Amino acid sequence: MSLFKRLIDAIGGTASQAFANVMESVRTVFAGDPEMRRKVAFSVAMIALSAKMAKADGIVSQEEVTAFQEIFAIPDEEAANVARLYNLAKQDVAGFDVYAERIARLCGSGTANCAMLEDILDGLFHIAKADGVVHQKELDFIALVADIFGFDERNFDRILARHVHPDGIDPFAVLGVSPDLPFAEIRKKYRKLAAESHPDALQARGVPEEFLAIANDRMAALNAAYRAIEKQQEPA
């Protein structure tokens, strides 16, 4: 039985009334398999918030659909179940805040800036900018989700700087550091972010293999920012 079919069967008719029940059921349906629970939790989170973001924006472009499919290389046997979950999320009367709060609890750490929650924000930005621009309603949506996830303004701005930079990329913003911070401290922050963004770390917290291409983009942004700052520190 496929993963999403197993999940839908386990929650029965409740899914037709509230998609939030789907996310709550992840805890119990996959209680005996923590690794699978992490993977399903991430996938359900992305399906739920992607659907809600599409509804908030009012327009679902083909580029956004393609971007969603890049995150989930959905096998043919799963396509109908994933589509059903996506449509349930769009139709559910519950607001996105209900989804985001339950997703934050699925993270399991109970702490702000949980790594999996940052992965989800990256996924939302990936989909939002697929048509060439992050529209204001999409940006507002992601910012509100980040707030519910527990990200403070400084950490959200750090994530935002990787995706939206109309005035050019600010390497200090990408690393979330002040330009007057000693270089040794900047290096320390860079190494911490790089370790959290390593593909092995993402896989360990349940991120699907398909998402690793997006993780590679994050690493490229971090590396480029660090090199730019390092070059500025070189003596003339």
Side-chain angles (χ1 to χ4, degrees), residues 22-23 37 39 50 85 96 127 137 143 159 183 192:
V22 177
M23 291 180 287
R37 182 174 60 186
K39 291 181 179 180
S50 297
L85 290 173
F96 75 93
I127 294 169
K137 287 184 179 179
I159 300 167
F183 185 66
K192 179 179 182 296

Side-chain angles (χ1 to χ4, degrees), residues 49 52-53 94-101 140-141 144-145 148:
L49 290 179
K52 283 297 186 183
M53 184 167 68
F96 75 93
D97 53 333
V98 174
Y99 293 2
E101 288 165 3
D140 292 343
F141 177 90
L144 287 170
V145 169
I148 294 170

Side-chain angles (χ1 to χ4, degrees), residues 100 103-105 107-121 142-143 145-160 162 175-176 189 192-193 196-197 205 218:
I103 289 165
R105 292 202 294 271
C107 187
S109 71
T111 61
N113 301 326
C114 166
M116 188 187 81
L117 299 180
E118 183 165 340
D119 298 333
I120 292 170
L121 293 179
I142 298 174
V145 169
D147 184 59
I148 294 170
F149 281 178
F151 286 84
D152 57 26
E153 184 177 354
R154 180 176 59 84
N155 276 293
F156 179 70
D157 287 346
R158 172 179 57 79
I159 300 167
L160 176 66
R162 295 199 298 263
L175 296 185
K189 179 65 177 292
K192 179 179 182 296
L193 292 173
E196 293 172 350
S197 301
R205 55 184 180 253
R218 182 196 299 178

Side-chain angles (χ1 to χ4, degrees), residues 11 50 65 74 87 92 97 114 129 151 156 164 171 179 190 195 197 222 231 233:
I11 61 177
S50 297
V65 173
I74 303 168
N87 288 330
D92 190 353
D97 53 333
C114 166
K129 66 184 183 182
F151 286 84
F156 179 70
V164 181
Y190 159 73
S197 301
L222 295 175
K231 188 173 182 179
Q233 300 292 326

Side-chain angles (χ1 to χ4, degrees), residues 22 24 29 33 44 84 104 110 115 122 140 158 166 169 223 231-232 234:
V22 177
E24 197 64 24
V29 174
D33 191 344
V44 168
R84 181 180 173 189
D122 263 348
D140 292 343
R158 172 179 57 79
I169 297 175
N223 290 338
K231 188 173 182 179
Q232 291 181 26
E234 293 177 352

